[in-house]
Amino acid sequence: MRTTFTSRLRAVARPTAALTAAAVASMTLAACGGGSSAASTDNLRFGLSAEPVTLTTGVWQGSATNFVMTLIHRGLMTLDESGELVPGLAESFETPDPTTYVFTLRDDLTFSDGSPLTGENVKSSLEYYANPDAGSTLIAGLSDISDITVDSDTQVTITLAEPNNAFLEYLAVPTAAIVPEASLNAETPNTVGAGPFVLEDQQEGVGMTLDKFDDFYGAEDVELEGIDVSYYADGDARANALVSGDVDMIDYVTWENFDRVGSTDGVELAAQPGPFQYVQFNTTEGPFADPQVREAVAYAINRENALTAAFQSNGEELAGVVMPDDAALEGVGDDLWSYDPDRAQELLAEAGYPDGFEATLLATSQYTFLQDTALSVQQDLQAIGIDVTLDAPDWSGRLEKGAAGDYDLAVSGDVGIVTNPSYLLGFVEGPDNFNRSFGYSSPEITEALTAGLRATDDESRVAAYEEAFDLFATDVPFASIDTRDQAWAYSDDVEGFTNLSGFHTFFSGYTLVNTSIER
């Protein structure tokens, strides 16, 4: 059966008034790192919750970096303002059979440095991301690629070794961007892209300026002339900047600011459920190399307390794994671990630690919710005899320590890289990264999850995932804690932005292509 999917671009209303300038107070800049170095009166003023780390495509590096990726890059696929999967750099694609995808690129594509974007760039980019040696976090979705043939400058045929019903969604992940071949290494920042905006200026610790890319394939529908990004690591300062009018929009409204921001005249709070919190482990040596100890941690966590402490109950307790909205899979993977400290102590004793042990718990000083979650977990673990010392560097330090395995256990908050259950493969196979248990692998869980990915009927899918989660419950690749509501907020003058639902909330920067502003 041949399926054809042709792109659709949506026009948005052109603003009738220019932006007015607003200066950021010098005291706020000094305290919070706010203020772009080259602010323009015509640009959207955005308060970003963290300074992005080095922009490296193929690698998951947190929400702030993902946000910038959605602005300066594009892949073959993207998400529209409703979160629907649509072609990006591809104009259309065909699937003549379940393992063959023929992509036709848009005409006259160029990168922001003026160089042409052709089928050869598609081939080199995707082959790089599909290579385990490159450290890509896209492996779970792209490892099925067996061949990429460049039919012409504007046509590429990708052949998979097996059917993969999540393949197209992986191509829309911001880090799956098509970039120049010279950028495909760990040392070169991927600042040259083919997205709607160009990174023009960047000042460390302060902000960045992005200008509209006039040669973007949908440039005629992009209303914003540019975006002035200011870094506000402090959640209160970020909220203050919005309600005072110093910025037009912010990401990541902290939960203690939900009521204040949401009740401010002229400000819109857009919250969506989706991200989840969990404990990850260093499984290379020491107590957490033992699955019984990891299982003990999973039973020791008081999820109700953690949800209240970190999110003021703006979320849900999570005793299993987050699954997509799929009627066939309803209830599968929901209840893997209850709150049972007695069972936790039994497991510790069975593992040879009846008197407990000492451990270091990695968090971060930059995000209050992770600090509060860590404090709650610390209390729970001390109650079963694990004497926990907190390590809370800034976010860049958290990334470095997580990626290097410089911890015993750590608290993390994340989303699935895609909405398909195959997102869990990123937690049980592939290269180490900052937000998965260091050194962990499970061929058995990988095999069961992969069977679910390959299944062509609901009965087979359900059976595969039930097997996977039976293994999950006792091997514990990570110990779930809770889900949280994730909010963006913006002035009423901002129109067309959407906080995408579920796991896609961190890809909501894609909808700035549909955004306009009037004041």
Side-chain angles (χ1 to χ4, degrees):
M1 176 179 175
R2 179 180 296 269
T3 303
T4 301
F5 198 157
T6 302
S7 66
R8 55 194 189 274
L9 294 175
R10 293 170 172 80
V12 293
R14 185 170 297 280
T16 58
L19 294 175
T20 58
V24 179
S26 59
M27 182 178 297
T28 302
L29 292 180
C32 308
S36 176
S37 58
S40 166
T41 59
D42 298 322
N43 290 359
L44 176 76
R45 300 163 302 163
F46 195 100
L48 188 60
S49 58
E51 181 171 3
V53 298
T54 302
L55 300 174
T56 304
T57 55
V59 180
W60 191 266
Q61 297 178 96
S63 59
T65 304
N66 274 332
F67 172 71
V68 177
M69 290 283 188
T70 65
L71 302 178
I72 67 175
H73 288 294
R74 277 298 180 274
L76 288 176
M77 304 295 290
T78 187
L79 302 176
D80 68 9
E81 66 271 24
S82 300
E84 296 296 322
L85 189 66
V86 296
L89 297 176
E91 184 174 53
S92 63
F93 67 85
E94 296 181 349
T95 55
D97 61 65
T99 60
T100 304
Y101 295 79
V102 182
F103 292 91
T104 299
L105 302 182
R106 301 174 190 273
D107 291 333
D108 302 320
L109 290 173
T110 64
F111 291 112
S112 57
D113 64 357
S115 60
L117 189 161
T118 71
E120 291 292 345
N121 298 115
V122 173
K123 178 180 172 66
S124 60
S125 295
L126 295 183
E127 285 182 341
Y128 181 78
Y129 303 148
N131 181 0
D133 295 336
S136 170
T137 50
L138 297 163
I139 290 296
L142 303 187
S143 61
D144 284 322
I145 294 175
S146 61
D147 182 71
I148 302 177
T149 301
V150 179
D151 306 313
S152 69
D153 282 350
T154 58
Q155 183 172 297
V156 176
T157 298
I158 300 176
T159 303
L160 307 183
E162 299 280 353
N164 183 322
N165 54 43
F167 177 66
L168 289 174
E169 191 175 355
Y170 273 95
L171 297 181
V173 175
T175 56
I178 305 305
V179 298
E181 188 169 0
S183 298
L184 294 172
N185 59 78
E187 289 73 37
T188 302
N190 295 144
T191 57
V192 176
F197 298 94
V198 180
L199 181 59
E200 290 290 342
D201 179 71
Q202 189 170 11
Q203 186 171 340
E204 184 176 354
V206 178
M208 61 173 62
T209 299
L210 300 104
D211 289 347
K212 178 179 175 179
F213 179 33
D214 291 333
D215 289 327
F216 173 59
Y217 62 79
E220 66 274 14
D221 297 313
V222 178
E223 299 296 339
L224 297 174
E225 291 302 316
I227 303 172
D228 292 316
V229 177
S230 302
Y231 307 142
Y232 288 88
D234 181 81
D236 291 338
R238 191 164 58 255
N240 289 341
L242 177 64
V243 300
S244 67
D246 287 340
V247 297
D248 303 306
M249 187 174 184
I250 62 174
D251 72 322
Y252 173 40
V253 182
T254 56
W255 295 270
E256 58 269 22
N257 281 297
F258 267 34
D259 290 343
R260 179 168 72 98
V261 171
S263 63
T264 299
D265 290 340
V267 172
E268 179 77 18
L269 178 77
Q272 289 278 10
F276 63 98
Q277 283 60 241
Y278 56 95
V279 175
Q280 65 189 76
F281 308 95
N282 187 330
T283 67
T284 58
E285 60 183 2
F288 298 110
D290 188 329
Q292 282 190 305
V293 177
R294 301 195 296 269
E295 189 178 0
V297 171
Y299 279 107
I301 297 171
N302 187 323
R303 294 165 176 84
E304 180 180 6
N305 285 353
L307 183 64
T308 301
F311 307 115
Q312 291 73 57
S313 300
N314 288 294
E316 299 288 340
E317 297 174 39
L318 182 63
V321 298
V322 179
M323 292 288 280
D325 186 11
D326 185 332
L329 298 174
E330 185 175 357
V332 177
D334 279 358
D335 298 309
L336 304 184
W337 313 286
S338 59
Y339 172 51
D340 190 342
D342 290 337
R343 176 59 179 151
Q345 288 182 311
E346 289 175 1
L347 285 163
L348 284 183
E350 291 172 10
Y353 300 98
D355 300 319
F357 53 86
E358 295 181 353
T360 299
L361 175 63
L362 179 63
T364 178
S365 60
Q366 192 154 327
Y367 290 112
T368 302
F369 76 92
L370 286 176
Q371 295 179 52
D372 292 340
T373 299
L375 289 169
S376 183
V377 170
Q378 179 188 41
Q379 183 177 16
D380 294 338
L381 295 185
Q382 287 178 334
I384 65 167
I386 302 177
D387 185 11
V388 171
T389 299
L390 293 184
D391 180 16
D394 64 13
W395 184 240
S396 62
R398 166 64 180 87
L399 293 178
E400 291 175 5
K401 289 194 169 190
D406 188 10
Y407 62 91
D408 294 320
L409 67 169
V411 291
S412 289
D414 204 2
V415 294
I417 195 168
V418 291
T419 58
N420 187 285
S422 65
Y423 83 88
L424 291 164
L425 285 167
F427 291 93
V428 299
E429 68 169 3
D432 286 313
N433 60 72
F434 77 95
N435 62 353
R436 62 169 298 220
S437 291
F438 191 78
Y440 182 85
S441 67
S442 172
E444 295 83 5
I445 297 178
T446 295
E447 182 178 356
L449 290 173
T450 301
L453 182 64
R454 307 273 187 249
T456 57
D457 63 87
D458 288 345
E459 184 178 357
S460 298
R461 281 198 306 140
V462 170
Y465 288 125
E466 285 181 340
E467 180 183 354
F469 299 137
D470 284 345
L471 296 166
F472 225 90
T474 56
D475 210 51
V476 195
F478 58 80
S480 302
I481 302 174
D482 49 34
T483 65
R484 69 178 193 258
D485 290 348
Q486 187 79 12
W488 304 63
Y490 44 89
S491 161
D492 284 349
D493 298 325
V494 175
E495 298 181 356
F497 173 81
T498 304
N499 181 7
L500 300 179
S501 63
F503 286 173
H504 287 154
T505 182
F506 290 138
F507 301 170
S508 297
Y510 276 140
T511 74
L512 287 181
V513 77
N514 307 107
T515 298
S516 61
I517 184 165
E518 291 188 34
R519 281 192 303 186

